Amino acid sequence: MGRAFDSPPYQVAREKVRDFATAVGERDPRCHDVAAARAAGYPDLVAPPTFPVVFTMPRIEALLRDPGFGWRFEGTVHGDQKIAFHRPVHAGDELVTTVHVESLRTRAGTHMLTLRCTCATVEGEPVCDTEALLLSQADS
C-alpha cells in the first residue's frame, strides 16, 4: 500500500492528561501533579500509556470517513491496537501524527486494514508508534 497521510499538530494539554488519567483509573501522581512529574525528571505531566489513542484515533477516523479512501466506516470493528514508545508523552508536547496504510487484505468476506501511526514532535523527535487493525464487511 505505502500511502501516508499527515495531520495538523496536536497540543497535549495538562487538563487532557489529567482527565484521561482519571477516566482510565490511573493514579500515578506523575499523571496528575506537575511537581511529582518534574521530581521524577519529566518536563511536565506524564500521559498514561494508552493516551495516544486521544490524538491518533481521530486521525484514523478522518481517513476512514474520507470518500476518496473508499472504506465503509459504518460497521467497522477495531480488532487490535499496539503502542510502542520512544519516550513518554507529556503535557506540553506538540505532536504530529502520520497515518500509514500498512496493509489491506480480504478474507472470508471481511476487509482487514492495518494502519500504523508515527507520532513525533513538531521538531521531528519520535515519540511513539501505534498500529491498529480494523475490520469491515466486504461488499458482496
Side-chain angles (χ1 to χ4, degrees), residues 26-87:
E26 178 60 72
R27 294 183 179 192
D28 185 332
R30 297 173 300 173
C31 299
H32 298 276
D33 179 18
V34 175
R38 288 187 176 150
Y42 297 100
D44 212 307
L45 296 180
V46 178
T50 54
F51 186 82
V53 300
V54 170
F55 53 88
T56 60
M57 291 309 288
R59 297 338 189 221
I60 288 171
E61 182 178 346
L63 171 66
L64 298 179
R65 288 187 181 275
D66 181 343
F69 187 67
W71 182 264
R72 190 174 70 197
F73 187 79
E74 292 69 30
T76 296
V77 176
H78 191 207
D80 192 21
Q81 182 75 41
K82 298 174 186 169
I83 304 172
F85 288 92
H86 301 280
R87 67 150 172 88

